Amino acid sequence: MTEKIAITPKTHTTPPAKFSHGVKKGNILQVAGQVGFLPAVEGQPPTPAGPTLRDQTLQTLANVKSVLEEGGATWDDVMMIRVYLTDVDYFAEMNAIYNQYFEEQGLSGPPSARTTVYVGLPAGLLIEIDALAVLDS
């Protein structure tokens, strides 16, 4: 049986509950929901990247990418992305930011599948993103 490995980049804080920022088993890497917190500073609470959707979306994508990289994956390995927004009015703006971000990533193949839903998040947070990657064996 393949071992399950927890993935936590050094830039991330310890999760507030019993979960990992990512978990890898065999060639599957699931990135847990990431939010727009700036890289962790020891002894300080997590800090959002900024008050705007743009600030938080770009930092959230950077946080997902760091978990992917820690687990040996890239955006090209991602099969599914789920985006959680706190307000339906953010959808068009988030799509514009998301599209520009992925245009700049130089993907070698088609983009991943994506779902967007609307949720409640802790005060000050506007977006959360998770991803599922399948690595070459």
Side-chain angles (χ1 to χ4, degrees), residues 78-91:
V78 173
M79 300 298 293
M80 181 67 181
I81 294 175
R82 285 170 291 270
V83 176
Y84 307 90
L85 293 171
T86 59
D87 192 322
V88 68
D89 291 337
Y90 295 153
F91 188 72

Side-chain angles (χ1 to χ4, degrees), residues 36-38 47-52 54-60 125:
F37 287 144
L38 293 169
T47 305
T52 69
R54 179 172 191 74
D55 294 338
Q56 290 190 28
T57 300
L58 292 174
Q59 186 62 53
T60 300
L125 295 176

Side-chain angles (χ1 to χ4, degrees), residues 39-128:
V41 176
E42 192 171 334
Q44 293 184 12
T47 305
T52 69
L53 182 64
R54 179 172 191 74
D55 294 338
Q56 290 190 28
T57 300
L58 292 174
Q59 186 62 53
T60 300
L61 288 164
N63 292 344
V64 171
K65 185 177 182 180
S66 70
V67 178
L68 289 169
E69 289 174 346
E70 186 77 16
T74 70
W75 286 119
D76 278 318
D77 298 309
V78 173
M79 300 298 293
M80 181 67 181
I81 294 175
R82 285 170 291 270
V83 176
Y84 307 90
L85 293 171
T86 59
D87 192 322
V88 68
D89 291 337
Y90 295 153
F91 188 72
E93 180 183 359
M94 185 278 300
N95 274 337
I97 297 163
Y98 183 97
N99 288 343
Q100 180 181 5
Y101 176 85
F102 281 105
E103 284 173 14
E104 294 170 358
Q105 296 306 301
L107 298 178
S108 63
S112 64
R114 191 186 96 192
T115 298
T116 303
V117 297
Y118 304 96
V119 298
L121 291 173
L125 295 176
L126 307 175
I127 186 169
E128 182 173 343

